[in-house]
Amino acid sequence: MKPRPRPSTPRRLLSAGIAVVVLSVLVFVNRPMVAFGADAYHDFTINRESYKEKYGHWSRLPVPTGFRVNAIHAAMLSTGKVLIIAGSGNNRDNFEAGTFRTVLYDPAKDAFNEVPTPTDVFCSGHTFLPNGNLLVAGGTKSYEVLEKNITHAAGVMKIKNEDPDGGPRTFPKGTTLLSRDGTAYRTRDDLTVPAATTMNHGDEVMTHAGEAEVWVDAVEAGDGPVVDNPAQYTVAGLTGEDERNVYGLADKITREKQEYGGDNTSYEFDPRAERYVRTGDMVQHRWYPTLAELPGGDVLAVSGLDQFGRMLPGRNERYVRDQKRWVDAPELKRVFPTYPALHLMEDGKLFFSGSNAGYGSDTEGRTPGLWNLKNNTFREVPGLRDPRMTETSSSVLLPPAQDQRVMIFGGGEVGESAVSTARTAIADLDEPKPEYRPGPDLPRPARYLSTVLLPDDTVFTTGGSSGYRGGRYGTKTRSDLFNAQIYRPATGKFETAADSTVGRNYHSEALLLPDGRVVTMGSDPLYDPSGRNPGTFEQRIEVYSPPYLFRGPRPVISGGPKSVQRGTTFAVATRDAARIRAARLMRPSAVTHVTDLDQRSVALDITPATGGLALSVPKAKGLVPSGWYMLFLVDGKGVPSVARWIQVR
């Protein structure tokens, strides 16, 4: 039997060419099928146990339509529920309609319910109090107005009262003030001007005028009423001595952009009653403030824009929690940009990492350092690479808190810049002369990066964008980052985590749940995914399950106290005592604008005990501030238990 002849080379090439053409046609015709196949393979890959054990896993949270809000703030409450605060949600129509929203999410039941929201707490400050209430203060009194939309000149006018005998003077909204040439301006709000005061200076009696400020708008539209220089104004209707004693002063009245104005309302959100409880008003109106808990349980409020959209020049104040009122703190005058990241250290000092949300001088108050609140001194901490790129960066007190190391992640140039950095840096604040030293670079430059402490002493980082609010100037393309990574302080390296599926930039949040997962929400991009149209607020919510949740059975805490004293030892019941390698008290998050001063992870000393373990709580107030914590037990594989809530007193 003769062997079959092989095809000639030209025939083989022709057959291959035909095959390529046919395959190309099939791919072109069936492109949706190919895409479907790729998606199916991707889904298969990310859902394999081996993949999840190494990279973790993302899932989408089904949010009922009626509970989809613009998440501006989020806090993990000691009831196990997540407080999601929108306020007006960066939406002028909502603000003008008085539509303010707050939603509670229960991860244990995947259930949502709405909470009445009394005022616009959009862009307020917040922190937890020792009793578990969330102090929420400041917010929005007025929305910004862009220059192109300003038809009537406006400005801040100071109304003076030089009469010490006539008492306070009250003027209703719409009171008219007149310039020397008769140009008329009207007040936006009701106003009370205190009486003048008299004081003896040696042998001379001096009168100090009472004063109050108010927005005024020109009655006539256009540029005619614009005033570029300081001038004095008379109050229409006043005559004689009244006319001379009461008058207005304004530095300028223009058609320039008007910034957001801060509110002075303050509340404690009660997690058990699930409602806002009004407290005393703040001394200053504040928009974009930081609230930092002090070792004794009171709270310091710093920075922000006042009711006229002006940066507060270092006027800070303190919340006296036992009296539920705010008091001025002139002894602690210090300038910071808005939403400065102030981390409470073991010795009671506050460390300003340099992270901030933006508004403020591009030079003053941006240098990292340790703030001693006992004498209002500030010790700069040098060494930060890319020192101008701290805006929209994030920072954390690395776990465990006893190490007293703070790490800063990414950030961007001052203002609406497209420039960002991949830089990280670590400051060891236990050193005699602390300074920032380089950490590992992020995979890509990032602003708005969320950073979440995990119970296995790692830091999960997710979201962010390389450009301002997810956009790039000049290209109008979205620059959201979907990569996530886990930083291990023990090795000083990042490990790759599973990619997220939702872009998160400005106005996004991430926080640790009691079951060890991480919930992410929010985002307020400039553009839609095409990069051509205005963006819409991201209302989808994702949940990330870290790799430790796929590495075997979890330890179980079967009993323990509901509250403990700082500096004491307490017992917890667990059948897994033999395999427990670490115990952590984790303070829950209260986060906005990737600023989260509350989260911290405190290591507890472990000793064997009958039926479980004995755990010792450090005694330093600055290390373990009073309040509610999630207690996690972690085994030798890094697998954590579900948390048990404990109040530290």
Side-chain angles (χ1 to χ4, degrees):
M1 187 173 180
K2 293 183 178 179
R4 296 176 63 182
R6 292 181 178 180
S8 64
T9 300
R11 183 181 178 89
R12 291 174 65 196
L13 289 176
L14 178 62
S15 300
I18 293 173
V20 168
V21 171
V22 171
L23 181 60
S24 299
V25 170
L26 288 173
V27 168
F28 178 79
V29 172
N30 295 295
R31 186 174 295 168
M33 185 61 71
V34 172
F36 173 79
D39 289 343
Y41 179 74
H42 175 72
D43 289 343
F44 168 76
T45 299
I46 66 174
N47 284 292
R48 287 184 302 169
E49 285 301 309
S50 59
Y51 182 92
K52 291 187 284 188
E53 286 175 20
K54 186 173 183 179
Y55 302 109
H57 185 262
W58 289 93
S59 59
R60 194 75 56 78
L61 184 67
V63 183
T65 303
F67 297 103
R68 296 173 188 171
V69 297
N70 295 356
I72 307 295
H73 313 262
M76 184 69 243
L77 303 177
S78 55
T79 56
K81 297 182 180 180
V82 179
L83 184 72
I84 305 171
I85 301 175
S88 60
N90 203 18
N91 183 301
R92 181 187 297 276
D93 292 339
N94 289 344
F95 177 79
E96 293 177 352
T99 303
F100 312 131
R101 300 193 66 188
T102 300
V103 166
L104 276 172
Y105 165 56
D106 186 349
K109 299 177 181 178
D110 268 347
F112 294 82
N113 67 286
E114 184 138 359
V115 175
T117 309
T119 57
D120 194 6
V121 288
F122 165 63
C123 288
S124 58
H126 41 63
T127 191
F128 283 111
L129 297 171
N131 64 357
N133 287 359
L134 184 72
L135 179 64
V136 181
T140 305
K141 181 179 175 62
S142 60
Y143 261 62
E144 70 176 359
V145 185
L146 300 179
E147 187 172 343
K148 65 181 181 180
N149 297 324
I150 296 175
T151 57
H152 292 66
V156 179
M157 189 170 290
K158 188 175 292 184
I159 309 300
K160 293 273 194 173
N161 180 6
E162 293 187 355
D163 181 4
D165 303 318
R169 301 298 300 268
T170 300
F171 300 96
K173 175 182 177 179
T175 295
T176 300
L177 292 109
L178 303 171
S179 68
R180 289 183 181 273
D181 65 3
T183 304
Y185 306 87
R186 290 188 182 136
T187 58
R188 287 188 190 177
D189 298 294
D190 297 338
L191 183 72
T192 297
V193 187
T197 57
T198 56
M199 299 180 64
N200 292 322
H201 293 272
D203 296 332
E204 188 175 359
V205 178
M206 300 288 291
T207 298
H208 297 274
E211 61 181 43
E213 292 181 309
V214 65
W215 271 109
V216 298
D217 297 280
V219 173
E220 178 187 343
D223 291 333
V226 168
V227 181
D228 293 320
N229 300 306
Q232 184 167 323
Y233 302 80
T234 59
V235 180
L238 298 186
T239 59
E241 288 296 317
D242 272 355
E243 185 178 9
R244 286 188 289 273
N245 284 330
V246 182
Y247 53 90
L249 295 173
D251 289 335
K252 59 181 181 178
I253 300 177
T254 71
R255 294 176 65 185
E256 297 172 357
K257 177 189 176 184
Q258 298 166 17
E259 295 288 358
Y260 284 92
D263 199 6
N264 67 344
T265 53
S266 173
Y267 305 89
E268 289 187 21
F269 185 85
D270 184 334
R272 283 151 186 84
E274 297 186 348
R275 66 187 183 95
Y276 290 94
V277 179
R278 185 72 179 264
T279 73
D281 287 346
M282 303 187 84
V283 177
Q284 304 288 338
H285 292 69
R286 295 182 188 272
W287 189 79
Y288 264 53
T290 283
L291 303 190
E293 185 181 4
L294 302 175
D298 286 353
V299 172
L300 187 66
V302 305
S303 193
L305 304 189
D306 70 7
Q307 68 267 44
F308 306 112
R310 303 172 303 195
M311 275 297 302
L312 288 163
R315 296 174 187 164
N316 303 320
E317 58 188 283
R318 182 168 57 91
Y319 182 68
V320 184
R321 63 183 175 90
D322 291 338
Q323 302 172 18
K324 297 187 184 300
R325 69 186 185 98
W326 291 91
V327 297
D328 201 9
E331 74 281 4
L332 293 176
K333 183 174 183 179
R334 185 153 299 280
V335 173
F336 294 101
T338 54
Y339 282 135
L342 300 173
H343 299 279
L344 178 62
M345 309 309 295
E346 184 173 3
D347 60 6
K349 296 185 180 73
L350 292 176
F351 176 59
F352 172 48
S353 69
S355 293
N356 66 90
Y359 291 86
S361 166
D362 64 350
T363 55
E364 186 180 15
R366 291 180 179 264
T367 303
L370 282 161
W371 187 13
N372 188 331
L373 302 178
K374 294 180 180 178
N375 55 18
N376 195 30
T377 56
F378 190 84
R379 181 182 181 184
E380 293 185 2
V381 173
L384 184 63
R385 179 166 55 97
D386 292 342
R388 284 183 57 83
M389 293 194 189
T390 56
E391 197 163 288
T392 63
S393 64
S394 58
S395 60
V396 298
L397 179 62
L398 287 174
Q402 283 91 332
D403 289 349
Q404 296 289 277
R405 299 194 304 157
V406 171
M407 185 171 185
I408 187 171
F409 299 78
E413 272 277 11
V414 176
E416 298 179 5
S417 169
V419 180
S420 58
T421 178
R423 173 264 294 125
T424 74
I426 300 169
D428 186 340
L429 300 165
D430 265 346
E431 292 182 345
K433 295 182 179 180
E435 61 181 73
Y436 268 116
R437 291 188 174 88
D441 278 357
L442 295 164
R444 295 179 62 185
R447 309 174 69 125
Y448 319 104
L449 188 71
S450 288
T451 51
V452 180
L453 302 183
L454 300 180
D456 65 346
D457 283 354
T458 61
V459 183
F460 176 63
T461 66
T462 181
S465 66
S466 59
Y468 177 75
R469 290 183 61 180
R472 283 197 192 93
Y473 283 45
T475 63
K476 291 191 176 182
T477 59
R478 285 285 288 273
S479 56
D480 286 334
L481 304 174
F482 296 90
N483 58 288
Q485 45 278 326
I486 295 174
Y487 176 71
R488 291 194 176 275
T491 63
K493 296 180 180 179
F494 283 108
E495 295 177 358
T496 301
D499 287 353
S500 62
T501 63
V502 178
R504 309 281 184 196
N505 50 74
Y506 183 51
H507 285 151
S508 61
E509 300 82 36
L511 50 80
L512 177 69
L513 298 176
D515 62 10
R517 298 179 299 161
V518 175
V519 61
T520 66
M521 63 194 85
S523 190
D524 199 355
L526 283 175
Y527 304 107
D528 71 357
S530 74
R532 294 186 294 272
N533 304 309
T536 56
F537 205 102
E538 179 58 72
Q539 296 183 335
R540 290 175 294 175
I541 297 178
E542 276 193 303
V543 178
Y544 176 71
S545 298
Y548 53 52
L549 295 181
F550 305 98
R551 292 177 179 168
R554 305 183 68 170
V556 176
I557 303 174
S558 54
K562 291 184 178 179
S563 67
V564 298
Q565 291 289 331
R566 205 172 18 248
T568 64
T569 298
F570 66 97
V572 294
T574 175
R575 63 176 181 269
D576 303 301
R579 64 186 180 101
I580 299 304
R581 295 294 177 267
R584 295 291 182 264
L585 281 180
M586 302 199 68
R587 189 172 175 87
S589 287
V591 59
T592 186
H593 295 72
V594 298
T595 303
D596 185 353
L597 309 184
D598 284 75
Q599 67 170 339
R600 65 176 53 214
S601 177
V602 181
L604 305 183
D605 289 337
I606 302 176
T607 53
T610 303
L613 300 168
L615 308 177
S616 299
V617 184
K619 63 181 180 180
K621 290 182 179 180
L623 186 62
V624 195
S626 298
W628 285 86
Y629 288 77
M630 293 180 283
L631 170 65
F632 289 93
L633 298 181
V634 185
D635 72 11
K637 295 181 179 180
V639 180
S641 65
V642 172
R644 180 181 180 87
W645 285 98
I646 291 183
Q647 186 178 19
V648 176
R649 299 183 183 276

